[in-house]
Amino acid sequence: MTDPVPGWLTEARRICVLTGAGISTDSGIPDFRGPQGLWTRDPEAEKLSTLQYYVADPEVRRRAWQARSKHPWHAQPNAAHAALVDLERQGRLLALVTQNIDGLHQAAGSSPERVLEVHGTVHEVECLSCHDRTSMRSALDRVEAGEPDPACLRCGGILKSATISFGQEMDERVLGAAAEAAADCDVLLAVGTSLRVWPVAGLVEIAAAHGARVVIVNAVPTPYDELADLVVREPIGTALPPLLAA
Ligand SMILES: [Zn+2]
């Protein structure tokens, strides 16, 4: 940061943070939706994340389990995740809303109760019939042991990562809590998100409508840059720590 951090940001006490894929690319997690994203380059890959195809086609499920086994499971949180842990320690973090499914905020040390995963998590699997939740690790152990499409051990239903696929309802409680935090914050800080995916993008409007300042840290322009009080284009890992220093 060459410019000084504005006083209103240093003085903010109820910061609602919204994170997207950009915060995890430094950790080696691919951005699925971005210009160089996996889905942009390979539309077939998007099928694996579409509920309708997943339910209808065992071959899609088999490929989805193969893709999950290749997820960068050893990815480590980076300096930007650490800056948000520090923000919580300062007592200034109201909520950490994330579009990411990688669990890296919790791995960095953010309190699980502060993290609202609007697109779910890849660390758990959920049965589409009885909604039983188990660990991803236990499901992948079964895949590696030779079950190409492991079924629910309780009811025989279809198992899927506990992420929100296309065509799947988001969790109303998580969304409600995120909207509440956006309405109650003094600063909404959006990091590494293109702000083009609803309803998450709408959180910026909710915050602004309730009088919060808006800060956007992202590599490329977003539809909300004009509404923002501060837009930062520098790399997230170097921009975030000084912005959020106590
Ligand atoms: Zn089940």
Side-chain angles (χ1 to χ4, degrees):
M1 288 287 293
T2 42
D3 299 330
V5 176
W8 52 260
L9 181 52
T10 311
E11 285 152 23
R13 288 294 172 269
R14 297 190 321 279
I15 302 179
C16 177
V17 181
L18 171 58
T19 66
I23 199 171
S24 290
T25 46
D26 278 353
S27 294
I29 307 275
D31 176 1
F32 286 92
R33 299 176 198 257
Q36 294 302 318
L38 190 56
W39 292 338
T40 317
R41 288 181 284 119
D42 178 11
E44 274 297 299
E46 192 172 341
K47 261 193 177 181
L48 308 184
S49 299
T50 303
L51 190 65
Q52 179 196 346
Y53 294 118
Y54 190 87
V55 170
D57 188 349
E59 178 57 21
V60 167
R61 295 199 291 279
R62 193 191 64 75
R63 284 165 48 211
W65 284 111
Q66 288 305 314
R68 284 169 198 143
S69 69
K70 294 191 187 85
H71 177 86
W73 292 108
H74 298 292
Q76 296 294 318
N78 61 57
H81 296 101
L84 296 175
V85 175
D86 185 51
L87 184 70
E88 182 179 348
R89 291 204 182 115
Q90 294 170 32
R92 302 201 293 147
L93 177 73
L94 180 64
L96 176 40
V97 183
T98 185
Q99 296 172 282
N100 299 337
I101 58 173
D102 54 40
L104 288 182
H105 288 303
Q106 297 93 322
S110 289
S111 304
E113 62 270 20
R114 293 283 162 118
V115 181
L116 299 170
E117 297 173 304
V118 292
H119 292 160
T121 176
V122 77
H123 292 277
E124 292 182 7
V125 298
E126 183 169 328
C127 172
L128 295 177
S129 299
C130 75
H131 301 287
D132 186 40
R133 279 212 179 197
T134 45
S135 76
M136 175 60 78
R137 191 63 258 164
S138 62
L140 288 181
D141 285 347
R142 292 171 64 192
V143 173
E144 282 155 25
E147 286 184 70
D149 176 24
C152 174
L153 291 172
R154 251 191 174 182
C155 77
I158 292 172
L159 293 184
K160 189 178 82 61
S161 61
T163 53
I164 307 296
S165 296
F166 294 110
Q168 190 173 15
E169 296 280 314
M170 293 171 118
D171 187 327
E172 284 299 327
R173 282 170 309 170
V174 175
L175 282 183
E180 209 171 286
D184 189 37
C185 66
D186 50 15
V187 166
L188 184 127
L189 167 66
V191 183
T193 166
S194 61
L195 296 175
R196 289 176 194 281
V197 179
W198 282 82
V200 169
L203 297 176
V204 178
E205 289 180 16
I206 292 175
H210 284 79
R213 302 266 196 171
V214 173
V215 181
I216 295 175
V217 183
N218 198 46
V220 296
T222 82
Y224 293 99
D225 287 3
E226 281 194 17
L227 178 151
D229 296 275
L230 176 64
V231 176
V232 178
R233 289 257 179 274
E234 286 148 75
I236 294 166
T238 49
L240 216 51
L243 268 183
L244 299 179

